[in-house]
Amino acid sequence: MENVYLTIVLAPLVAAIIAGFFGHKVGRAGAHWATIIAVGIAFLLSLWVFWQQWVGDAAVFNGSVYTWMVSEGVRFEVGFLIDRLSAMMMVVVTFVSLMVHIYTIGYMKDDPGYQRFFAYISLFTFAMLMLVMSNNFLQLFFGWEAVGLVSYLLIGFWHKRPSAIHANLKAFLVNRVGDFGFLLGIAAIFLYFNSMDYMEVFGAAPDVSGETMSIFGGLEWSVLTVICILLFIGAMGKSAQVPLHVWLPDSMEGPTPISALIHAATMVTAGIYMVARMSPLFELSVTALSVVITIGAITALFMGLLGLVQHDIKRVVAYSTLSQLGYMTVALGASAYAASIFHLMTHAFFKALLFLAAGSVIIGMHHIQDMRQMGGLRKYMPITYVTCLVGALALIGFPGFSGFFSKDGIIEAVALSEIPGAGFAYWAVLIGVFVTALYTFRMFFLVFHGKERMDEHTKHDLKESPWVVTAPLILLAIPSVIIGAPFVSSMLLGDFFTNSIHVAPERDVLGMLGEKYDGAMALLSHGLVAAPVYLALAGVVVAWFLYLKRPDLPGKLATALGPVHRLLENKYYFDAFNEKVIAPASRGLGRLFWQVGDVRLIDGLIVNGSARLVGWIAGAARRAQTGFLYHYAFAMVIGLAALLAWLILR
């Protein structure tokens, strides 16, 4: 099995090397075939591993494949932990990546960086697999930083655009803030557990739970609370939680295929997966769980509201990702880790579908992304229309679709939680259902229905995208509909993740939920009479009324709600605050450190100062060497007198 795991993770790396270093020799076709075959192999093997874990009930694999270093008894290794959690993530990552690879052939066909792009996305897949398959914090950190690096390269792929360079630098810097907290958390784990191995740390966690540390002001903090909050700060950066969310909407500057890969299966899911994997630690700190659920609730509701005022089709979907990540984070904070991972899985399929459908529209519109210049596209792009509708219905939680089961599972679980902040979180995710339906079908109606607002030249050339674009849409639409129901009993309400996720009995909200509903049909029957379905329906109806029946009203509402509308258009002024306060303050602090630390202390005192001191001493010594004998005799007499005085007086 070890060879199978190595093949899964190394195949995309080998393909990335072929496409990246030998792309000029293998050509465009060679680059895409090498990477598609490699990721296809990784997907098929991952599917087999998942099947063995699910149906075959295979044993958990936890082993080292390479020892990097041993220091004072602590082993730093490359190793794999393959259980149902990691196996499910491997399938999601490789399948979505495979669809993106195929789609890229059509989307990037005329781009001069064709081979380079395939090298990057294959490398991205390798980095994410290293992260999810890891059995230790060293490898986790490697995968964590690797996905950050490749996302930086991909967001700024069109590096001749100033907006792309600004976006990838923004993503890099914001993630450095989160990664600083993440690294401190890993350092604290090493300090208190003296191990980098997951299982060793999890096993010793109850013994450390009573220990405290003094950080500042003499206040004592729980060691595990500090560790969990530091790790979650890392997750806030990767999974774009408030206030470290600002990079994700700007990541739309990258090509659409990478937007789908980042938002659906790689970068942003890393933080959610990490917290779920660290459940044995988080379950020992109610304070950390309260922080998680509160941050998630704020993100779920307030980031969704921003989708209502966006005009760029990709940015609407991007803010949808922010909101849905908030739902997953809320579930983590409510100790409903399985519900969070279940929603991560379903969301990966329909969010990749929505992004790739948006890309198909952009291809048809000759790279126009403003929805105000679209309309009536359903008759020109029927496959894109139908698949986008499937993705939209899954996103809003239409009964029976995959998103219905995972989103309703989260809402019901949060309603049962007693974690501080759970009450606010419940209302946030409940209101978020209406908001999600409103911005989703606002986008859908503006793009595919109503008056045709494109110019005559664009309208004349409008046609359905080629099969390499539409085939991945169809293949993603299928799980967007059916992937939820088969796993409700086992993954959401059952014991699917028993060996992967630990939940304290007093906080087992999904166990309580399982006592009320025994499967998909029971949850569906309840959902049909519960508030979320009707809130989603209300959102769709309001979107239809505002953007199809009375398209004059949105403008009037924007004027009437002037301050609120400006607040949303300016994204709560997070970007303005960062650019006008944080960035100047950081540059000023950097200049201060440079002037005081580098120029005055290091250069002025240490480097140049030591040189001046040596020069002064040499000058003084030079003046003492006069060459006159009586000067030397006088110095000897003075020295002898001083020596005698010391001997007599001591």
Side-chain angles (χ1 to χ4, degrees), residues 343-362:
H343 193 51
L344 184 157
M345 177 186 74
T346 62
H347 174 265
F349 297 118
F350 61 72
K351 185 51 57 71
L353 172 59
L354 285 171
F355 263 113
L356 298 187
S360 179
V361 169
I362 292 168

Side-chain angles (χ1 to χ4, degrees), residues 407-492:
K407 185 183 287 188
D408 272 34
I410 290 174
I411 294 171
E412 293 294 327
V414 174
L416 297 172
S417 176
E418 296 181 358
I419 293 290
F424 164 67
Y426 174 74
W427 286 106
V429 294
L430 193 62
I431 296 169
V433 173
F434 171 79
V435 175
T436 300
L438 181 55
Y439 68 66
T440 301
F441 274 85
R442 168 183 176 264
M443 175 192 73
F444 185 76
F445 291 143
L446 284 175
V447 172
F448 293 105
H449 289 267
K451 180 182 177 182
E452 297 177 0
R453 297 178 295 278
M454 67 286 288
D455 58 46
E456 288 300 321
H457 174 70
T458 303
K459 186 188 300 186
H460 180 266
D461 292 337
L462 259 177
K463 59 182 179 181
E464 186 58 90
S465 299
W467 73 267
V468 288
V469 171
T470 55
L473 297 182
I474 296 169
L475 292 174
L476 284 165
I478 295 169
S480 297
V481 177
I482 67 172
I483 202 66
F487 291 99
V488 169
S489 297
S490 58
M491 195 176 291
L492 180 64

Side-chain angles (χ1 to χ4, degrees), residues 16-48:
I17 293 171
I18 293 171
F21 290 103
F22 305 101
H24 61 289
K25 293 185 178 180
V26 300
R28 296 163 75 90
H32 71 235
W33 277 116
T35 53
I36 288 172
I37 290 171
V39 175
I41 291 171
F43 166 64
L44 291 175
L45 291 176
S46 296
L47 195 62
W48 181 72

Side-chain angles (χ1 to χ4, degrees), residues 480-638:
S480 297
V481 177
I482 67 172
I483 202 66
F487 291 99
V488 169
S489 297
S490 58
M491 195 176 291
L492 180 64
L493 304 175
D495 58 356
F496 187 88
F497 293 120
T498 298
N499 294 327
S500 309
I501 292 171
H502 170 73
V503 181
E506 66 272 17
R507 288 193 289 275
D508 188 10
V509 291
L510 291 179
M512 302 176 200
L513 199 62
E515 294 174 0
K516 296 172 64 177
Y517 312 108
D518 59 0
M521 289 308 298
L523 197 61
L524 180 60
S525 300
H526 167 75
L528 292 174
V529 296
V533 166
Y534 296 99
L535 285 170
L537 178 61
V540 175
V541 171
V542 171
W544 169 81
F545 183 76
L546 290 178
Y547 297 99
L548 290 183
K549 187 71 174 177
R550 290 290 306 276
D552 58 306
L553 283 182
K556 295 178 180 178
L557 283 173
T559 303
L561 300 173
V564 175
H565 188 262
R566 284 193 298 274
L567 182 68
L568 295 178
E569 278 199 322
N570 287 283
K571 297 170 280 190
Y572 306 116
Y573 297 97
F574 274 105
D575 285 338
F577 178 76
N578 288 333
E579 291 171 9
K580 295 180 180 179
V581 178
I582 299 296
S586 300
R587 288 193 293 267
L589 189 62
R591 281 193 294 269
L592 176 64
F593 283 141
W594 173 60
Q595 286 291 336
V596 175
D598 192 38
V599 175
R600 297 185 182 180
L601 179 61
I602 297 175
D603 286 345
L605 184 60
I606 298 175
V607 179
N608 297 331
S610 60
R612 284 193 294 269
L613 178 62
V614 171
W616 180 83
I617 294 172
R622 204 166 42 244
R623 285 192 294 273
Q625 303 300 319
T626 63
F628 294 108
L629 184 61
Y630 64 86
H631 283 171
Y632 301 143
F634 178 74
M636 290 173 63
V637 170
I638 295 297

Side-chain angles (χ1 to χ4, degrees), residues 39-324:
V39 175
I41 291 171
F43 166 64
L44 291 175
L45 291 176
S46 296
L47 195 62
W48 181 72
V49 169
F50 177 76
W51 183 263
Q52 292 295 313
Q53 287 287 331
W54 181 32
V55 177
D57 202 24
V60 173
F61 177 88
N62 181 23
S64 169
V65 296
Y66 175 72
T67 299
W68 177 55
M69 181 177 70
V70 179
S71 176
E72 296 185 352
V74 180
R75 302 180 69 85
F76 297 87
E77 300 174 327
V78 174
F80 299 138
L81 173 58
I82 308 300
D83 54 14
R84 289 181 175 181
L85 175 59
S86 53
M88 186 274 288
M89 287 295 297
M90 289 156 60
V91 172
V92 170
V93 170
T94 53
F95 178 73
V96 173
S97 178
L98 179 60
M99 295 300 100
V100 169
H101 275 71
I102 296 170
Y103 180 94
T104 298
I105 297 174
Y107 194 89
M108 302 291 287
K109 65 178 181 178
D110 297 322
D111 197 284
Y114 190 84
Q115 292 98 314
R116 178 165 57 95
F117 189 82
F118 274 98
Y120 286 171
I121 57 176
S122 191
L123 186 62
F124 210 169
T125 307
F126 159 74
M128 191 64 186
L129 287 171
M130 284 292 284
L131 189 155
V132 301
M133 295 170 69
S134 166
N135 74 341
N136 63 84
F137 288 94
L138 175 68
Q139 186 176 328
L140 173 69
F141 187 70
F142 166 77
W144 194 268
E145 293 302 311
V147 294
L149 168 65
V150 185
S151 67
Y152 168 82
L153 296 172
L154 284 162
I155 293 169
F157 182 79
W158 286 321
H159 51 81
K160 293 184 179 180
R161 297 181 181 179
S163 57
I165 297 304
H166 179 269
N168 76 344
L169 183 60
K170 187 175 183 179
F172 182 83
L173 292 175
V174 172
N175 274 277
R176 293 293 67 74
V177 175
D179 292 355
F180 180 65
F182 187 63
L183 186 57
L184 287 177
I186 293 177
I189 287 172
F190 182 72
L191 176 64
Y192 283 92
F193 292 90
N194 198 39
S195 176
M196 290 279 99
D197 185 84
Y198 287 167
M199 292 307 159
E200 291 180 9
V201 172
F202 297 161
D207 298 329
V208 180
S209 61
E211 294 190 30
T212 60
M213 66 168 68
S214 179
I215 302 178
F216 52 83
L219 295 175
E220 294 294 321
W221 288 69
S222 164
V223 167
L224 282 180
T225 294
V226 172
I227 288 173
C228 290
I229 290 176
L230 287 172
L231 292 176
F232 180 63
I233 289 172
M236 286 168 64
K238 279 289 181 290
S239 294
Q241 297 297 288
V242 172
L244 301 183
H245 67 283
V246 292
W247 68 271
L248 192 59
D250 287 2
S251 69
M252 297 302 95
E253 290 295 333
T256 298
I258 195 52
S259 299
L261 199 54
I262 287 176
H263 287 245
T266 53
M267 180 87 162
V268 300
T269 61
I272 304 299
Y273 169 80
M274 184 273 293
V275 175
R277 177 60 80 188
M278 299 301 137
S279 60
L281 302 181
F282 279 84
E283 282 301 287
L284 296 171
S285 175
V286 173
T287 302
L289 291 174
S290 182
V291 170
V292 172
I293 199 170
T294 303
I295 293 293
I298 293 170
T299 306
L301 177 59
F302 292 100
M303 293 302 105
L305 289 170
L306 296 183
L308 298 173
V309 298
Q310 300 301 312
H311 302 299
D312 185 314
I313 184 173
K314 285 174 64 177
R315 284 184 180 264
V316 175
V317 187
Y319 280 107
S320 164
T321 301
L322 281 171
S323 181
Q324 296 307 303

